[in-house]
Amino acid sequence: QDVVLRVNDLRTHFQTRWGTVKAVDGISFDLRRGETLGIVGESGSGKSVTMLSLMRLIPIPPGRIVSGSIELDGQDILQLSESEMNRIRGSKIGLIIQDPMTSLNPVFTIGNQVSEAIRIHQDIPKRSIMEQALSVLRKVNIPAAESRMRDYPHQMSGGMRQRVVGAIGISCQPEVLIADEPTTSLDVTIQAQYLALLKDLQRDSNVALIFITHDFGIVAKMCDRVAVMYAGRIVEQGSVRDIFNNPSHPYTEALLASVPKMEDDVERLYSIMILAGEVPSPLNPPEGCHFHPRCPFVMDRCSLEDPQVKEVSPGHRVACHLF
Ligand code: SF4
Ligand code: MG
């Protein structure tokens, strides 16, 4: 399968009054056309900064992408000017932010917001813009889309607004779409609708999807491959099958074992104890393997040397001294 996005040794740092925060600290991964990659991690692991880095939406200062490359269709977007990047955002790489408060503007109609997303990326007549807006709204199953174009966000249900956000995300047929997980404040039905919407969008458009989440349950339902992040690094990545059947990094094992099962067992309680341990401070993470203070298998070298990434089977990579 061909690679549409190749991230190599990406580092995004923030300067703070207290020192440098290495929010993303040397991550590499590939994304293939039409697949879904889940990026999983606890809050503060660097998933959101990864998402913003891929869109080049890091606030500068205090943030800065200090090294690495992000190749979209073979072109390193870190080398583009801001105006070139503006053309690519939305048209080649899109973002669906699941924050119902900020993702739609309350003072503009739905039709207005969808057409604006199309207008800024495509030089086409107004009539065609309206037609295209209508067609993406239909694609995300907005009933009576033509009259709904005149509605304001507050006139729509939460689920409907989500679909509009999805419509904006795909309005210019991006090759890569980044979506974050449904906020926990959403009710279960709306969450399920959101996931179904993303799946539909992907099936229809064959877009490559990056799904940012802390929830392994959602990964199992949504993703083809998974990258597990811890303290700014990817500690393990592989196919969903690799990760679920043969989790190799101790952190991945702990995360997976903590997912509720039918019957609780000792292993699960143990994992919960590990995960209850302190998440490292991004300002001053532990030396060597960042996970070593919480790791049940810690060895002497773990606090001294950064573990290198090893391929344990084709496409299954682990950064841990046990391998
Ligand atoms: Fe545990 Fe060492 Fe592996 Fe880190 S490198 S996960 S501390 S065994
Ligand atoms: Mg985050």
Side-chain angles (χ1 to χ4, degrees), residues 249-251 289-293 295-299 301-303 305 307 319-323:
H249 195 283
Y251 176 62
C289 171
H290 293 341
F291 189 57
H292 83 256
C295 181
F297 306 104
V298 61
M299 305 168 280
R301 62 189 293 208
C302 298
S303 56
E305 298 164 40
C320 167
H321 289 307
L322 290 172
F323 298 89

Side-chain angles (χ1 to χ4, degrees), residues 56-195:
R56 268 188 49 185
L57 289 172
I58 294 292
I60 305 170
R64 197 161 74 87
I65 295 177
V66 295
S67 70
S69 59
I70 301 174
E71 283 175 33
L72 181 60
D73 265 340
Q75 179 182 43
D76 184 2
I77 62 169
L78 297 182
Q79 306 303 325
L80 299 179
S81 69
E82 192 48 41
S83 67
E84 288 169 323
M85 188 60 212
N86 254 327
R87 276 197 294 276
I88 282 182
R89 243 179 247 127
S91 64
K92 288 189 108 183
I93 182 162
L95 183 62
I96 299 185
I97 296 242
Q98 261 322 289
D99 180 351
M101 300 308 287
T102 58
S103 45
L104 289 175
N105 190 327
V107 306
F108 294 109
T109 63
I110 297 308
N112 225 305
Q113 299 189 52
V114 179
S115 0
E116 180 61 14
I118 297 168
R119 192 194 59 79
I120 54 178
H121 294 295
Q122 290 173 50
D123 192 15
I124 51 175
K126 193 153 183 252
R127 222 187 110 77
S128 325
I129 292 177
M130 293 315 270
E131 276 164 17
Q132 204 169 317
L134 191 57
S135 109
V136 288
L137 286 172
R138 289 197 178 117
K139 210 178 261 175
V140 297
N141 296 320
I142 301 280
E146 193 144 17
S147 63
R148 284 299 202 167
M149 299 259 281
R150 290 185 292 272
D151 281 4
Y152 290 87
H154 72 90
Q155 292 171 284
M156 298 185 131
S157 68
M160 202 84 92
R161 282 199 296 266
Q162 249 179 0
R163 279 184 253 167
V164 173
V165 174
I168 292 173
I170 56 148
S171 59
C172 297
Q173 293 123 17
E175 287 166 66
V176 176
L177 191 59
I178 307 169
D180 68 350
E181 67 194 330
T183 48
T184 38
S185 61
L186 292 177
D187 73 58
V188 183
T189 326
I190 295 188
Q191 283 200 22
Q193 284 173 359
Y194 174 64
L195 299 180

